[in-house]
Amino acid sequence: MNLSRSLAITLLSFSCTTASAQIQGFAPASSAHEAEVEKKFKSIPTPEEERRQHRIFTQEPHIAGSKRNNELAEYIRDEWKKQGLEDVVIRRYDVYGTNPKSASLEMVAPKHYQALLREIPINGDDDSKNPAITAAWLGMSISGEVTAPLVYAHSGNPEDYDLLRENGISVKGKVVLVRYSNPYSYRGFKALTAQREGAAAILIYSDPQEDGYKKGKVDPDGPWGPEYHIQRGAITYDFMVPGDPLTPGWASVPGAKRIRIEDAVSAPKIMALPLSWHDAKPLLENLGGPAAPADWQGGLGFEYHFGGAQEKVHLKIEMDNGTQPYYVVEGRIRGSELPDEWIVLGNHRDAWVFGAVDPSSGTASMMELTRALGQLKQQGMRPRRTIIVCSWDGEEVGLTGSTEWGEQFADELRSKAVAYINVDEATSGPEFHGQAVASLAPMLEETTRTLDDPSGKSLYDAWKATVAKEREENKSSGPFNSGASNATLADTRIGSGSDHTVFLNFVGMPVIGLGFEGDYGVYHSAYDDFYWMNHFGDPGYRYHTVMSQLWGVTALRLANADLLPFDFAMYASNIRQFVNDLAKQNNLWGQPPSAVQPGEAGHLSKLDLKPALDGIDQFESAGKKLNESLTRKLAQGPIDPKLAATLNHGMMQVERNWLNPDGIPGRPWFKHILYGARFTYAHLELPGLTEAVEAKDWPTAKQQAEILRHALEKNTKLLRDLNESLNSK
Ligand SMILES: [Zn+2]
């Protein structure tokens, strides 16, 4: 050991001691105890076990509703029982099925080409030879058959069709060919856009410029997508309402009321199929008509054209839409002192094929997390609050399992739930990304300080470096692209696209999302498999292990805290930033747009946001006062259980108060007034207000601003009452 190293260790242990004496939400004595519990917890997950579990989940394809995926549900149930989890049950939801029977695509003019619609095996990767691998398909495509002209429509976003129109090209009754991400938009949004344009069908392909050889070496030599990789996926319009399309807003338990598929707003009315670039190339190469503009060109090495009059394709898709069961596995460790306060953790189980990254990396991390929780319990270290763990089904098709479960238990969750922590893809590489509602961002950051990143830094320092790099990159792509607020490392702009959606947007629970990311070009393809993970994603399973530790420690802190570690002053400043960004982007302050300081209303031309901004100031000051009182109270030592219950239940209510029971205009299922998602899945802050402002619908905007002001007022009063109950003791 050299001097600098021993010095570093001394400093490190000093900072750890300091940190453990000051864990947010813990009194000194319980802080020390918590540090002991966490140390034990962190020592349990191992890379060997992560890898062993990961192999079990990636052994066979396990699509939602498949026999294998249902067997894995039983496997998880049995493992959890062995590990010591309690009340382990499998919940069944009968949902609208969407499974492929057959699909074929051929170009019939000017040349004949029969699309392969398959992924060929890769030498050295035996899993890629598995006969159970499905052909190309997209969940929720309708069945049908068409022979029609083919048009290239770039990324399939509305502006792309505008450009086609300017060039005199209509897609009505035609088949459109679009690529996945230039720029990225959710494939369901592409399908809806094509449907609105009157297209007969949509083909979505992976251009090598976006996830293939133009990015770097392809599988099996590198992490990027090879010639034959197919990005499967669902096209459900879950931005309207997620879950089973036939039960919007209630659970698909056996016997539940169901609407007709024709009346389901989230059910697409268009045929859709994904393609590898191997299959897209002959189609694109044979398209005539005018040359497409520069930003429509891709990585295939020839000029892309819009399509002329004589290019035709024949497409036939047959789906099986019989009702099928989805299974959610649920287990818990009952809280020793506060069993009716819940920390909920979840990961989806279903995969498009093997799902090594998505979601089995998360599933392996979850299995190691539950093993560690079980061991703690057996050693007498039961959490104070209840920790519930769920293995979701059908996430890949409209976030279905979590949505149905959340809808089924919404009332109970609204009275008992502290927070939801989601891990979908635990790791596709080394860069940590943490998402959280701003009230939990500081506690998440604090937690990362106590963990070691495999790079040798603390997880916190590794995270900080990643965020700094991203902010640098975002600077060049415009002022409104910042993924995170500058006050925190956590990304506080939470869109949709995973299982946190029902908990945040429907139930009103604070959410956290965790994941490591890296170069990943095989998403939703058969090549997202064990070989890929062991060569590129996480060869040593060290990131899987850190994920189990981080996920568990975050849950334990929420479960064991004397006073829940919410920071509402942080939440307030984050909301102010949302309002500020909305105003800037829509030029609501008049020319020139300037940053809004606390309490400064600016020049309001079209919409008076001053009452809302004043409300934010009030909420922030109440949050600051509460933070101070809580810190003071915690420093004084043990807290009267009755007072703690008042404070904790009050703090749990804050997120619920951001819900508007009517939902956002046009999308009643989405009830949160601070968070929503665009149809593209992109994050959308202040969704009702923002959409009204963007549509220049000022009466609705005014109404939405009033709803915001009212919620702020309600939460300010709540925090003031809590502060009073603290100071009167
Ligand atoms: Zn996923």
Side-chain angles (χ1 to χ4, degrees), residues 57 62-64 69 76 327-328 345-352 355 357-364 366 390-397 399-402 420-426 497-500 523-524 528 551:
F57 287 95
H62 52 291
I63 299 151
N69 199 42
I76 291 174
Y327 296 102
V328 168
L345 320 183
N347 156 264
H348 72 90
R349 184 180 67 254
D350 64 303
W352 284 106
V357 171
D358 181 9
S360 304
S361 60
T363 315
M366 178 179 70
C390 290
S391 165
W392 310 121
D393 201 352
E395 186 272 353
E396 296 292 5
V397 189
L399 318 173
T400 299
S402 57
Y420 173 69
I421 313 176
N422 193 57
V423 174
D424 185 325
E425 303 169 3
S498 194
D499 290 307
H500 61 276
Y523 171 69
H524 286 188
D528 179 6
W551 198 358

Side-chain angles (χ1 to χ4, degrees), residues 379-453:
Q379 292 171 31
M381 283 175 277
R382 192 183 273 279
R384 294 181 65 229
R385 296 182 179 83
T386 295
I387 297 179
I388 299 180
V389 191
C390 290
S391 165
W392 310 121
D393 201 352
E395 186 272 353
E396 296 292 5
V397 189
L399 318 173
T400 299
S402 57
T403 300
E404 300 308 318
W405 191 88
E407 289 172 342
Q408 184 177 3
F409 299 107
D411 289 341
E412 206 174 353
L413 287 165
R414 286 185 190 129
S415 78
K416 296 180 178 173
V418 173
Y420 173 69
I421 313 176
N422 193 57
V423 174
D424 185 325
E425 303 169 3
T427 173
S428 60
E431 296 192 334
F432 178 67
H433 283 81
Q435 269 198 333
V437 294
S439 55
L440 288 177
M443 79 79 63
L444 179 60
E445 275 185 27
E446 187 188 53
T447 307
T448 60
R449 288 179 187 274
T450 66
L451 289 156
D452 300 323
D453 183 78

Side-chain angles (χ1 to χ4, degrees), residues 568 619 622-623 626 654 715-723:
F568 299 113
F619 180 53
L626 183 63
V654 171
N715 271 333
T716 303
K717 182 175 181 315
L718 173 58
L719 298 196
R720 283 180 183 154
D721 289 349
L722 295 181
N723 204 29

Side-chain angles (χ1 to χ4, degrees), residues 183-221:
Y184 174 81
S185 59
Y186 166 54
R187 67 187 85 72
F189 176 64
K190 296 177 196 291
L192 176 64
T193 309
Q195 179 185 315
R196 283 175 171 167
E197 294 287 340
I202 180 168
L203 308 170
I204 313 178
Y205 83 99
S206 304
D207 196 286
Q209 187 166 289
E210 283 130 39
D211 64 2
Y213 60 76
K214 286 282 180 180
K215 302 288 274 188
K217 282 187 179 168
V218 304
D219 195 21
D221 303 313

Side-chain angles (χ1 to χ4, degrees), residues 670-689:
F670 287 86
K671 300 186 187 302
H672 208 293
I673 62 171
L674 305 179
Y675 293 103
R678 294 189 185 272
F679 286 20
T680 57
Y681 268 4
H683 60 86
L684 172 63
E685 289 72 52
L686 308 167
L689 180 59

